[in-house]
Amino acid sequence: MNLTEHLPILVVIIPLMTAPLCVLLDHPRLAWFAALASSWVSFAAAISLVMQVSAQGPISYWLGGWEPPWGIEYRIDVLASYVLLIVTAMAALVLIFAKESVQKEIPEQRIAYFYAAFMLAFAGLAGIVATGDAFNVFVFLEISSLATYALISMGKDRRALNASFTYLVMGTIGATFILIGIGSLYMMTGTLNMLDLAERLPEVADTRTVRAGFAFLTVGIGLKLALFPLHLWLPNAYAYAPSMVSAFLAATATKVAIYLLLRAILVIFGIDFSLGLMPLDNLLLVLGLIGMLSASLVAVYQRDIKRLFAYSSVAQIGYMVLGVGLANATGITSTILHLFNHALMKGALFIALGAVAYRIGSTTLKDFSGLGRQMPFTMAGIVAGGLSLIGIPPSVGFISKWYLVLATLEQNLWPVALLVLFGSFLAVIYVWKLVEAAYFGEPDDTRTIREAPLSMLAPLWILVIANFYFGIHTDLTVGLATQATSALTGGGG
Amino acid sequence: MIAIAIIRLRDLFAIVILFGIYSFLTAVLFMDLDAVDVAFTEAAVGAGVTTVLMLSSLYLTSRWEAAPRHSSFLPLLVVIITGAVLVYSTLDAPLYGDPSAPVHQHVAPRYIQKGPTEVGMPNMVTAVLASYRGYDTFGETFVIFTAGLGVMLLLGVQKPHKPRPELNTIEDEIVLKVVVKLLIPLILLYGLYVQFHGDFGAGGGFQAGVIFATGFILYDLAFGEKEVRKVVPAHWLPRLAALGVLIYGGVGVISLLNNKPFLDYSALAHDPVHGQHLGVLLVELGVGITVFSVILLIFYVLANRRRQS
Amino acid sequence: MIDPGLYNYWIVVFLMMAGFYVVISQGNLVKKLVGLSLFQTSVFIFYISMGKISGGEAPILVEGITVYSNPLPHVLILTAIVVGVATISVGLALVVRIHEAYGTIEEDEIHEQDLIDDETTEDPSSFSNGEKNG
């Protein structure tokens, strides 16, 4: 068997097949090891995919050997390989962190199943990214969503159950909307393959059915994306989920949704239709801005740090959507950049919070009092992640904001640029709250807290270093992002 | 209309039963629309499995719904807008039943014309399901597996417990017991028939799995769980489900090992059509096993909870 | 413009919206799930309707029949039905757990208890998710 030829499918099925394996093993440590090993293999596959795609252009893989549009096609272009890289890298890092954290948070006899569910969530996300078939998106979306609902409900607090249920209802409505959207497109074109759709849609673009289908698809993705005002499920889901689940979801799930949005509006419908014919650009612009500002404001008032950063995620989604709404190449580049960069910072922050939860069992602001001295490495990681979130050079956060502001100025929308900066200012406030408590608050002397174990610090600091490494050496990320943008907007998927 | 009744009623029990009827009517409608496979599944799943599961969980929660407290104006508005968009979208849609609609022009004709020869089976739905779009079905099997896993994570399977008072059996109804006893072999036989006859008639692994599970559930209801669990212990079920998806995936991996694309069944035999046949048979088997064990598993788990509370 | 060929779709739209309304307006969690199911089932009818050809037959090869209905929507909906039942079963399991943890399956009552939880574990100033009921 020729490995390189089958890379597109291997990235997805290796984690997918690990899930039943975990169930068969039914042993906590073995299951963890299987999950870890397969996610690293998948990560390696993603790396070689990135290299293969940027050298030879998009790869098309025919599942079952049937040529598209009759069979299902996996299509890896620059953007897809880039997002696959994010997803697999985060899974691989989070799983290192998971070992100790899961042992503490999940009942012993359920750990193996927990990892199985995690692998399904991971593989589902990877499947959404890799596929070139509209209906296949729906199937893998449901694999990952169902697994995610179960994972979130494993949080220790009973509010996790309610959060999970809310997410289930919202998520299913979103998925059903997507299904209606796909149905309308299929009705007008007779095909489900994305590229084939892109080819056949212009003929019928002027029909009301296609326009409504577009609306349903966008709203459905918006629900999954937690786009303001459809974000209400997200903060609680992230806040009450087990630590490793929050870390993984915050770093990947919304990124995949953004990717889907980009795919839908740029590849399937084409930029002229989505941003020209439909008033989507202005809508995204406004929603992105409101989401960014309102969620940042709410974040400032949060007392639970996990929830604080969850709201901050909603705000960051605002930035990414804003980039799309600007409807120029720089804006889209900034969004794609931020996919990667935001994964780095939120991954680091949530892993650090997980480490705190591991040591003191809670993440309320009160409990952070004096932690700067008790868990110096963890707290330093949080501060570094926070700086990146604010956008201080030379962090990656600065790079994405730089491109975003550049894009607004290109469109002569300087008020928007000011608002983006104001959003950063709000981020300063909420990060400062934490720093103040951790470094200037009085430690509670009645408790002795040790630094987090190495298996948690290692992935945390890998991410922190990446935050600054990719802030200084921007060639790789900016290069890929511009390449992806020109492929998307130039029409040559 | 049943849908309206569901909105208005407060008795959850009645709602669930009404929903079962609604599903059944939908199945009849599907029949009328030529979708026999879908009708079969909807009847088994919507009217059967979903209703049973909903009833089991109602048993665990409460039957009556509280009076609504907040106004329903905003939801109504959202619904009306969404509905309006949908009606608007149908204005340009091809007419119902029109053979020249795009749906019937582009991809579909090949399935109809070449499906029987390329895949070698008369039931085109099975051909598309298991071969042309076999990867979707692979995903679907994983969805079922995920659901089983999710329910396990949430409700868990307890360790074998002491003999319990047989709460949910119909201990004294001898006539019923005899009827059930007669019915079950028939159900299982029918399940087998559906499993292996999907290439020709309606049916396939999914429907067969449901039918099989129904047989076992019926047995459980009539004779108590002890008997059933002698045949299929609860702790086997997750493994069985995992095995089912592994069979499906295994077929794909064999294709990979022969340097063919994932799930390319022509790798299984020298003659491509023969390979297709074998592949479809195997993956349907995987689907059947997974579906059977997950549905039975969910039923067991809910029944287990019932006893504890 | 108004043509009998579209009535079928309109009935489907009505059913869909009935389900959707149940999901977003009802406070009872089980009823929400029933609504969700209703919503999805109606979408299935929508798909199957578009696969129908007048005078066509079920897509199983039989001698002497030339017009078959489109098998592809059938396949998609088979998958979607399975996805639907999977979602509902996870949802029901969640409802059971919620009932055990909160003693109720009414959204409002759960929400009230959540607010109390928020106050006891955090400082009283966080009412941030109070917007949930919209």
Side-chain angles (χ1 to χ4, degrees):
Chain A
M1 140 169 139
N2 185 358
L3 258 181
T4 48
E5 220 173 276
H6 297 293
L7 280 177
I9 189 71
L10 287 175
V11 174
V12 180
I13 56 161
I14 288 174
L16 200 59
M17 301 286 275
T18 309
L21 205 65
C22 286
V23 171
L24 284 180
L25 289 172
D26 203 6
H27 180 281
R29 281 228 295 289
L30 287 179
W32 170 74
F33 187 74
L36 184 74
S38 77
S39 66
W40 279 91
V41 173
S42 181
F43 179 41
I47 293 176
S48 41
L49 262 183
V50 170
M51 296 193 295
Q52 208 179 330
V53 171
S54 51
Q56 305 161 7
I59 305 171
S60 162
Y61 185 86
W62 298 355
L63 284 154
W66 300 109
E67 74 264 38
W70 291 277
I72 294 170
E73 179 195 19
Y74 260 21
R75 190 170 181 84
I76 317 282
D77 52 14
V78 179
L79 182 60
S81 67
Y82 172 84
V83 178
L84 276 177
L85 185 71
I86 300 174
V87 173
T88 52
M90 293 322 285
L93 285 174
V94 166
L95 274 168
I96 302 180
F97 157 80
K99 189 170 179 254
E100 304 278 333
S101 171
V102 167
Q103 234 160 39
K104 183 150 183 176
E105 292 179 14
I106 308 293
E108 170 90 16
Q109 72 271 23
R110 296 200 177 154
I111 290 181
Y113 288 0
F114 180 85
Y115 281 121
F118 177 80
M119 292 319 277
L120 287 170
F122 163 35
L125 290 179
I128 298 172
V129 178
T131 190
D133 187 279
F135 193 80
N136 200 239
V137 167
F138 170 74
V139 175
F140 276 81
L141 187 70
E142 285 298 308
I143 295 182
S144 90
S145 308
L146 271 181
T148 309
Y149 308 143
L151 288 172
I152 290 174
S153 71
M154 296 307 288
K156 271 189 299 186
D157 198 300
R158 69 174 180 179
R159 279 168 289 181
L161 294 172
N162 196 22
S164 169
F165 188 83
T166 314
Y167 185 21
L168 182 133
V169 170
M170 300 277 258
T172 310
I173 294 177
T176 311
F177 269 51
I178 293 177
L179 198 61
I180 297 177
I182 296 172
S184 319
L185 298 187
Y186 174 63
M187 185 147 98
M188 298 312 287
T189 59
T191 181
L192 290 165
N193 183 282
M194 289 184 187
L195 284 184
D196 204 25
L197 271 173
E199 222 167 83
R200 295 173 152 262
L201 269 177
E203 265 177 60
V204 287
D206 213 21
T207 57
R208 285 168 280 205
T209 311
V210 169
R211 275 186 238 158
F214 177 74
F216 274 99
L217 214 53
T218 319
V219 173
I221 297 173
L223 262 166
K224 286 280 172 190
L225 182 62
L227 172 65
F228 181 89
L230 307 171
H231 66 279
L232 296 174
W233 58 266
L234 186 141
N236 281 342
Y238 281 14
Y240 300 121
S243 304
M244 72 93 76
V245 177
S246 314
F248 181 69
L249 288 183
T252 56
T254 49
K255 314 295 169 296
V256 171
I258 293 264
Y259 165 84
L260 259 189
L261 186 71
L262 286 174
R263 264 256 158 141
I265 65 179
L266 297 180
V267 177
I268 298 182
F269 287 96
I271 194 159
D272 297 331
F273 177 81
S274 315
L275 304 179
L277 203 61
M278 303 290 281
L280 189 68
D281 49 348
N282 292 329
L283 190 72
L284 288 181
L285 195 75
V286 172
L287 289 183
L289 271 180
I290 300 178
M292 175 185 97
L293 294 175
S294 67
S296 299
L297 267 176
V298 178
V300 171
Y301 291 101
Q302 292 303 311
R303 299 286 157 149
D304 185 290
I305 304 302
K306 244 176 129 180
R307 210 198 245 169
L308 183 155
F309 282 123
Y311 271 103
S312 144
S313 277
V314 178
Q316 301 290 322
I317 292 162
Y319 286 112
M320 293 182 237
V321 170
L322 186 63
V324 182
L326 286 170
N328 59 8
T330 324
I332 292 168
T333 310
S334 85
T335 300
I336 296 175
L337 265 178
H338 203 48
L339 288 182
F340 184 77
N341 296 344
H342 183 240
L344 289 184
M345 44 188 144
K346 274 289 150 60
L349 284 170
F350 275 97
I351 285 182
L353 289 180
V356 171
Y358 178 74
R359 282 298 183 217
I360 56 181
S362 138
T363 53
T364 56
L365 189 60
K366 253 196 346 263
D367 293 306
F368 272 78
S369 203
L371 266 193
R373 266 158 282 172
Q374 288 161 321
M375 300 176 74
F377 289 107
T378 311
M379 279 315 297
I382 293 188
V383 172
L387 289 179
S388 187
L389 194 64
I390 299 167
I392 310 269
S395 65
V396 285
F398 172 71
I399 307 295
S400 6
K401 288 232 167 103
W402 174 254
Y403 275 89
L404 187 59
V405 170
L406 224 57
T408 54
L409 294 180
E410 262 177 41
Q411 298 280 57
N412 285 325
L413 289 168
W414 57 268
V416 177
L418 283 183
L419 286 174
V420 170
L421 294 180
F422 182 66
S424 291
F425 172 69
L426 289 175
V428 173
I429 298 180
Y430 59 71
V431 172
W432 174 251
K433 269 204 334 186
L434 189 58
V435 172
E436 188 184 18
Y439 289 95
F440 300 101
E442 276 307 305
D444 183 355
D445 287 331
T446 55
R447 57 180 191 186
T448 45
I449 296 163
R450 284 176 300 133
E451 181 54 83
L454 188 66
S455 69
M456 296 189 169
L457 289 178
L460 169 61
W461 277 92
I462 292 175
L463 283 172
V464 168
I465 292 167
N467 259 301
F468 290 92
Y469 178 82
F470 289 111
I472 299 164
H473 301 272
T474 55
D475 308 350
L476 180 68
T477 49
V478 176
L480 279 175
T482 20
Q483 219 181 328
T485 311
S486 64
L488 284 176
T489 50
Chain B
M1 297 287 281
I2 289 169
I4 298 179
I6 291 181
I7 305 178
R8 300 209 55 94
L9 274 174
R10 273 222 198 93
D11 180 347
L12 293 172
F13 180 76
I15 289 177
V16 171
I17 295 297
L18 274 180
F19 175 73
I21 297 173
Y22 173 81
S23 272
F24 194 73
L25 287 178
T26 313
V28 174
L29 185 64
F30 285 157
M31 213 52 197
D32 186 45
L33 294 171
D34 300 337
V36 276
D37 279 274
V38 183
F40 197 171
T41 314
E42 177 67 34
V45 172
V49 176
T50 314
T51 314
V52 169
L53 293 182
M54 281 191 173
L55 287 179
S56 311
S57 23
L58 273 192
Y59 201 94
L60 289 172
T61 54
S62 55
R63 176 169 171 177
W64 296 94
E65 182 196 2
R69 267 192 268 170
H70 42 84
S71 83
S72 48
F73 176 69
L74 191 70
L76 197 63
L77 191 72
V78 174
V79 167
I80 289 175
I81 293 175
T82 325
V85 174
L86 272 172
V87 171
Y88 166 82
S89 86
T90 59
L91 291 182
D92 277 341
L95 299 182
Y96 164 73
D98 180 3
S100 65
V103 188
H104 307 303
Q105 294 306 325
H106 181 42
V107 177
R110 162 147 177 200
Y111 295 142
I112 295 175
Q113 282 150 17
K114 291 199 187 159
T117 46
E118 279 181 337
V119 188
M121 50 193 61
N123 186 349
M124 300 157 205
V125 174
T126 310
V128 178
L129 180 91
S131 189
Y132 290 105
R133 296 187 68 89
Y135 191 64
D136 263 353
T137 311
F138 180 61
E140 167 197 334
T141 318
F142 267 96
V143 171
I144 280 286
F145 176 67
T146 314
L149 201 65
V151 174
M152 281 293 287
L153 276 172
L154 277 162
L155 301 174
V157 160
Q158 275 72 32
K159 292 276 171 281
H161 40 76
K162 291 168 219 116
R164 49 157 180 142
E166 305 276 306
L167 273 180
N168 56 340
T169 58
I170 37 178
E171 202 71 47
D172 305 318
E173 314 270 349
I174 294 171
V175 180
L176 254 175
K177 276 196 169 183
V178 172
V179 171
V180 168
K181 220 163 197 164
L182 282 174
L183 266 177
I184 283 170
L186 284 179
I187 292 180
L188 297 188
L189 210 65
Y190 183 56
L192 279 178
Y193 170 77
V194 170
Q195 169 81 51
F196 294 109
H197 200 254
D199 329 356
F200 306 103
F206 185 75
Q207 293 91 333
V210 175
I211 293 171
F212 246 82
T214 319
F216 278 88
I217 290 173
L218 202 61
Y219 199 78
D220 181 298
L221 289 176
F223 298 99
E225 58 153 30
K226 260 192 299 184
E227 300 291 318
V228 179
R229 295 198 184 186
K230 265 186 225 154
V231 188
V232 191
H235 61 271
W236 278 18
L237 287 173
R239 285 172 209 174
L240 212 54
L243 192 71
V245 285
L246 281 178
I247 291 179
Y248 204 140
V251 173
V253 173
I254 293 175
S255 316
L256 280 185
L257 290 177
N258 286 314
N259 207 19
K260 291 270 172 89
F262 190 66
L263 290 178
D264 187 337
Y265 307 137
S266 60
L268 295 175
H270 294 299
D271 172 35
V273 175
H274 188 65
Q276 290 288 346
H277 232 113
L278 191 61
V280 172
L281 205 68
L282 281 174
V283 301
E284 290 270 22
L285 187 66
V287 175
I289 293 176
T290 302
V291 168
F292 161 74
S293 33
V294 167
I295 289 180
L296 199 55
L297 178 69
I298 295 175
F299 179 79
Y300 274 0
V301 166
L302 284 174
N304 234 334
R305 279 273 154 166
R306 188 158 54 214
R307 227 156 294 118
Q308 288 177 338
S309 52
Chain C
M1 189 134 127
I2 293 173
D3 191 287
L6 294 176
Y7 284 153
N8 195 303
Y9 292 127
W10 293 350
I11 295 170
V12 171
V13 170
F14 173 76
L15 289 174
M16 261 188 225
M17 289 309 107
F20 189 34
Y21 178 74
V22 174
V23 182
I24 57 180
S25 71
Q26 299 293 326
N28 185 290
L29 303 187
V30 173
K31 214 166 166 184
K32 264 182 194 294
L33 287 179
V34 173
L36 212 53
S37 232
L38 198 64
F39 185 28
Q40 290 186 319
T41 312
S42 343
V43 177
F44 303 161
I45 305 180
F46 167 63
Y47 266 76
I48 299 294
S49 310
M50 80 187 148
K52 168 78 179 171
I53 295 184
S54 314
E57 286 293 323
I60 297 176
L61 190 73
V62 180
E63 291 281 324
I65 292 179
T66 46
V67 184
Y68 296 100
S69 282
N70 188 345
L72 185 54
H74 301 181
V75 173
L76 304 182
I77 290 318
L78 276 177
T79 307
I81 290 178
V82 176
V83 170
V85 69
T87 314
I88 296 301
S89 50
V90 173
L92 285 173
L94 267 171
V95 170
V96 171
R97 280 290 299 278
I98 288 178
H99 185 73
E100 287 172 3
Y102 290 85
T104 173
I105 50 169
E106 296 293 328
E107 193 181 36
D108 296 340
E109 291 167 25
I110 294 166
H111 189 63
E112 277 162 22
Q113 293 191 29
D114 264 0
L115 287 184
I116 297 169
D117 279 4
D118 284 351
E119 283 188 49
T120 47
T121 52
E122 296 163 28
D123 288 336
S125 62
S126 74
F127 276 90
S128 53
N129 66 345
E131 68 235 318
K132 199 152 76 196
N133 283 330

